Amino acid sequence: MSRLFQPLQQRGLQLRNRIAVSPMCQYSSVDGMPDDWHLVHLGSRAVGGAAIVFTEASAVSPEGRISPQDAGIWNDAQADAWARIAAFIAAQGAIPAMQLAHAGRKASTHAPWRGSGAVALGDGGWQVVAPSALAFDDGYPLPVALDAGGIAKVVADYRAAAVRAHAAGFRIIEIHAAHGYLLHEFLSPLSNRRDDGYGGDFAGRTRLACEVIAAVRDAWPQDLPLWLRISATDWVDGGWDIAQSVELARIAVRLGIDLVDVSSGGLDPRQAIVVGPGYQVPFAARIRREAGVATGAVGLITEPAQAEAIIAGGEADVVLLAREFLRDPYFPVRAARALDARLRVPEQYLRAWGTGGD
């Protein structure tokens, strides 16, 4: 039997297979509101057989958006708009999931196809925040270092967003602490130069992430899974690295994290990444082995046999695909055929895909 198509139990949820749609920013919202684009984009991947369909990185506050066009979950109107999307995903047999995020010093920037760098205050931009007053790169906004009140607000915003996400019908939450966004900025000594209790040594730099995890876990139902996305390494000497990631994962498990979604990079433009198929999978395998936690593998996973090998080899418990799902919303159907596995498909598609599924 294909390991990729074996169910996975996480708390009170059972995943129908090990394939998840990774969070992918769409830069298609107005005032943080999801719309018909999000319904069709996410819904089609649920129809295609994924076990989990993640929203894009959904901002927990207006200042937490990457761009003015990012979706959010900081008010009830947004939660109401997300609710019909979550309901449709669930109706297709997939688990609706939301990634909660704060962009930190990489906020108030242009959508990729609209340019790069900072959006000016007069053009809809805003003052960005970070652990320290260090810009990501030339042309990016100069952040203001968060004070104690600002840090407390971040924790409260994550907690409130989790409550809204549950009310909207989402059944997995992922806390985004990767790719150079706010929580990752606190983790890395390259971006965190604080000399208070939220900086300095490993305990100080991980404090905010731990407080957010604890707050969200407290607000999130105990029978539902909570995930954490991290960058396993900054790919820069002296930065956040895999050894620190393993230790953070061990702490996160004790705080109630059920799976660590393992990516890398995004914090520093000096990063030197050797990219190739499955290049981040060894990080997921090491964290799974040494921290004793379920992991998700990401990064240039494009072929069914490759995904099967990752799961069968015990390198990760779930594979999360992004660009491949943009190219092929029905990747799970293709994978099931290639691996001689069964996958139930919508009744409306049985004429094309076979009786009862493929």
Side-chain angles (χ1 to χ4, degrees), residues 146-159 186 194 198 208 211-212 215:
L146 283 164
D147 60 15
I151 288 173
K153 180 181 183 299
V154 168
V155 176
D157 286 343
Y158 268 94
R159 181 188 179 99
F186 271 85
R194 302 176 73 95
Y198 290 91
L208 179 56
E211 289 182 354
V212 167

Side-chain angles (χ1 to χ4, degrees), residues 16-351:
R16 60 183 173 184
N17 55 57
R18 308 300 185 92
I19 304 169
V21 178
S22 195
M24 293 179 279
C25 290
Q26 298 297 293
Y27 305 102
S28 300
S29 294
V30 176
D31 295 328
M33 295 286 287
D35 59 19
D36 287 349
W37 174 264
H38 301 84
L39 172 66
V40 174
H41 164 67
L42 298 170
S44 63
R45 276 118 194 116
V47 169
I52 303 170
V53 177
F54 269 103
T55 67
E56 64 190 80
S58 300
V60 299
S61 62
E63 64 273 18
R65 292 172 293 170
I66 303 167
S67 81
Q69 293 77 38
D70 277 19
I73 187 74
W74 68 79
N75 63 43
D76 292 344
Q78 292 161 352
D80 290 343
W82 279 117
R84 71 170 183 142
I85 298 171
F88 183 85
I89 292 169
Q92 312 315 307
I95 296 170
M98 174 167 276
Q99 186 186 68
L100 300 182
H102 190 303
R105 68 180 185 175
K106 294 175 79 173
S108 192
T109 54
H110 290 283
W113 51 84
R114 300 188 181 192
S116 62
V119 176
L121 296 180
D123 295 328
W126 56 89
Q127 176 62 59
V128 304
V129 297
S132 304
L134 300 169
F136 171 70
D137 199 3
D138 294 340
Y140 277 74
L142 180 65
V144 170
L146 283 164
D147 60 15
I151 288 173
K153 180 181 183 299
V154 168
V155 176
D157 286 343
Y158 268 94
R159 181 188 179 99
V163 171
R164 288 193 180 96
H166 181 251
F170 292 98
R171 293 297 175 259
I172 295 177
I173 284 292
E174 178 173 87
I175 296 169
H176 197 354
H179 301 162
Y181 299 126
L182 184 66
L183 298 184
H184 185 185
E185 292 163 18
F186 271 85
L187 295 175
S188 176
L190 300 177
S191 48
N192 185 344
R193 306 289 177 81
R194 302 176 73 95
D195 58 7
D196 63 1
Y198 290 91
D201 61 9
F202 176 86
R205 287 183 284 108
T206 58
R207 181 177 173 185
L208 179 56
C210 290
E211 289 182 354
V212 167
I213 293 168
V216 172
R217 182 72 270 179
D218 182 64
W220 191 242
Q222 287 300 305
D223 64 336
L224 295 179
L226 178 61
W227 290 15
L228 176 69
R229 171 165 275 196
I230 64 170
S231 283
T233 176
D234 291 337
W235 298 100
V236 178
D237 288 343
W240 183 258
D241 58 26
I242 181 61
Q244 295 175 87
S245 293
V246 169
E247 186 56 34
L248 175 60
R250 291 179 177 137
I251 296 168
V253 171
R254 295 197 294 269
L255 292 172
I257 289 294
D258 299 289
L259 183 143
V260 179
D261 177 1
V262 186
S263 188
S264 68
L267 181 108
D268 193 303
R270 296 172 296 171
Q271 64 187 17
I273 305 176
V274 180
V275 176
Y279 69 102
Q280 297 174 136
V281 173
F283 298 135
R286 179 171 171 182
I287 290 171
R288 186 178 190 267
R289 181 176 64 252
E290 296 184 12
V293 63
T295 60
V298 305
L300 292 182
I301 300 170
T302 60
E303 296 298 330
Q306 178 193 16
E308 173 74 14
I310 291 167
I311 303 301
E315 295 178 288
D317 299 270
V318 173
V319 293
L320 296 99
L321 282 62
R323 287 177 174 85
E324 188 60 24
F325 262 118
L326 293 181
R327 291 184 285 265
D328 182 4
Y330 306 110
F331 174 87
V333 175
R334 174 160 64 90
R337 286 177 168 168
L339 300 171
D340 194 25
R342 286 185 61 81
L343 174 65
R344 292 201 63 81
V345 299
E347 295 175 349
Q348 297 91 330
Y349 287 6
L350 290 180
R351 287 171 293 176

